[in-house]
Amino acid sequence: MKGKRSVGTTITEHILTQQRTNPEATGAFTTLLNELIVAAKVISREVNKAGLTDILGDTGRINIQNERVQKLDLFANQVIIQRMRHVGQLWCMASEEDPDLIEIPAEYPKGSYILVFDPLDGSSNIDVNVSIGTIFGVYRRPEDSETNEVLLNDVLQPGMKQVAAGYFIYGSSTIMVYTTGQGTGVHGFTLFPSVGEFLLSHENIRIPEQGKTYSVNEGNYAYWDERTRALVDYFKTPDKETSRPYTSRYVGSLVADFHRNLLKGGIFMYPADLKDPKKPTGKLRLMVEANPLAMVVEEAGGYASDGKGSILQIEPTTLHQRVPLFIGSRKDVELAEDFISGRRPL
Ligand code: FDP
């Protein structure tokens, strides 16, 4: 089910209205989000003209995840860091592109929020004009933090502690989807290039309880355990009563696959695989990918699991840890969890 459409409210108006409903709000969060939106507009402009400029292509560098970094990833990373470090609302940042925490330089004031982000997710699709995105999550610095130093432990919080999360998708249009949780809903805003503003286009998005689509890289079938194979086989097996087979849709760009399923229903999966026995944990990162999207999906009525339990409950142990991810319509993800956890006998 698509969110109800109404056009005319800018994202800033929307954030301010939400802020007014919270008597303790200081405006710090609004400032932070506004600056992030400016960064996304700059990234969106570059993504849109990527085919035209020499910014397109590979830097030849390898990032912390052992993947090739493309120029546009680097650009997006720099834009976000440079825009966000001076806002005065951040305690520190963490990016998919940086191995360590990003501290706020001494010349700028510090605040109490922590921003984690994947500056340009789905980057292997840049060269082929497929939608890519920026994913973000916002936490507060723990109140009982005893030192003035930026500590990794203060950042390694479970996803349920996020105070906001969302993403920008750079596709046929640029859309921002975000939530501040606690029943405030998930809202989508479309960038109107002529006015340079994000306008409310998808108010209060609710993901269907059950979908008809599964999204997974089935090329990894040979590397999955028997439970994962049985789950995917289940989605493909015809059965009138349960509306199977499901349709398969896999872009290979997380934000694009997630966004489609959020609006239309379905399940996205990146299961653990045995390709690299040292890393039986899937490919996606808990902090910068799984947690923000899990907050969005749960606020929209869906669910996110690592196959055993809620993504949002996982206590992270490292900044860049990977996690198996099953995310989307609640009934579909619960079913996946039943298969993977062994609650459903094979
Ligand atoms: P990419 O490597 O292009 O950056 O997070 C990384 C990601 O893309 C996700 O956006 C996407 O869902 C996934 O990896 C695709 O991985 P596979 O190519 O292994 O399917």
Side-chain angles (χ1 to χ4, degrees), residues 121-124 217 250 252-254 268 270 283-285 289:
D121 185 74
S123 51
S124 57
N217 183 346
Y250 188 71
S253 171
L254 176 60
F268 173 93
Y270 209 111
K283 178 181 182 188
L284 303 179
R285 298 83 174 163
E289 294 178 308

Side-chain angles (χ1 to χ4, degrees), residues 207-274:
I207 185 168
E209 210 183 4
Q210 186 163 10
K212 295 189 180 74
T213 304
Y214 74 96
S215 318
V216 71
N217 183 346
E218 239 174 308
N220 290 330
Y221 194 91
Y223 303 113
W224 294 335
D225 65 14
E226 57 171 354
R227 296 195 170 281
T228 310
R229 288 185 199 172
L231 169 66
V232 173
D233 290 344
Y234 173 90
F235 285 128
K236 289 165 32 166
T237 306
D239 176 49
K240 262 201 182 139
E241 225 171 88
T242 50
S243 305
R244 287 181 287 144
Y246 277 36
T247 295
S248 167
R249 290 280 183 278
Y250 188 71
V251 175
S253 171
L254 176 60
V255 174
D257 279 311
F258 177 83
H259 186 67
R260 182 201 52 243
N261 291 358
L262 181 70
L263 297 182
K264 298 193 166 175
I267 178 169
F268 173 93
M269 305 176 264
Y270 209 111
D273 65 48
L274 311 171

Side-chain angles (χ1 to χ4, degrees), residues 186-341:
V186 173
H187 308 287
F189 300 80
T190 303
L191 180 62
F192 278 54
S194 52
V195 284
E197 280 286 0
F198 280 97
L199 299 179
L200 183 59
S201 52
H202 299 73
E203 191 176 10
N204 200 17
I205 298 169
R206 303 293 300 167
I207 185 168
E209 210 183 4
Q210 186 163 10
K212 295 189 180 74
T213 304
Y214 74 96
S215 318
V216 71
N217 183 346
E218 239 174 308
N220 290 330
Y221 194 91
Y223 303 113
W224 294 335
D225 65 14
E226 57 171 354
R227 296 195 170 281
T228 310
R229 288 185 199 172
L231 169 66
V232 173
D233 290 344
Y234 173 90
F235 285 128
K236 289 165 32 166
T237 306
D239 176 49
K240 262 201 182 139
E241 225 171 88
T242 50
S243 305
R244 287 181 287 144
Y246 277 36
T247 295
S248 167
R249 290 280 183 278
Y250 188 71
V251 175
S253 171
L254 176 60
V255 174
D257 279 311
F258 177 83
H259 186 67
R260 182 201 52 243
N261 291 358
L262 181 70
L263 297 182
K264 298 193 166 175
I267 178 169
F268 173 93
M269 305 176 264
Y270 209 111
D273 65 48
L274 311 171
K275 224 187 278 180
D276 180 348
K278 277 186 257 138
K279 282 193 233 150
T281 48
K283 178 181 182 188
L284 303 179
R285 298 83 174 163
L286 175 63
M287 295 292 289
V288 296
E289 294 178 308
N291 274 338
L293 298 184
M295 182 179 185
V296 170
V297 88
E298 293 216 0
E299 184 68 20
Y303 181 45
S305 169
D306 67 350
K308 296 191 181 118
S310 166
I311 287 283
L312 293 176
Q313 308 274 352
I314 297 174
E315 295 278 350
T317 50
T318 62
L319 200 50
H320 294 282
Q321 85 189 60
R322 296 171 193 256
V323 71
L325 180 63
F326 302 85
I327 188 166
S329 293
R330 178 163 284 275
K331 282 196 172 161
D332 293 326
V333 178
E334 281 171 353
L335 179 96
E337 203 175 81
D338 285 348
F339 268 93
I340 304 294
S341 66

Side-chain angles (χ1 to χ4, degrees), residues 32 69 113 150 155 193 202 298:
L32 187 160
V69 179
Y113 288 105
V150 171
V155 178
H202 299 73
E298 293 216 0

Side-chain angles (χ1 to χ4, degrees), residues 14-23 25-31:
H14 195 268
I15 300 169
L16 283 171
T17 310
Q18 287 214 334
Q19 183 198 307
R20 277 184 220 115
T21 61
N22 177 0
T26 58
F29 179 70
T30 307
T31 310

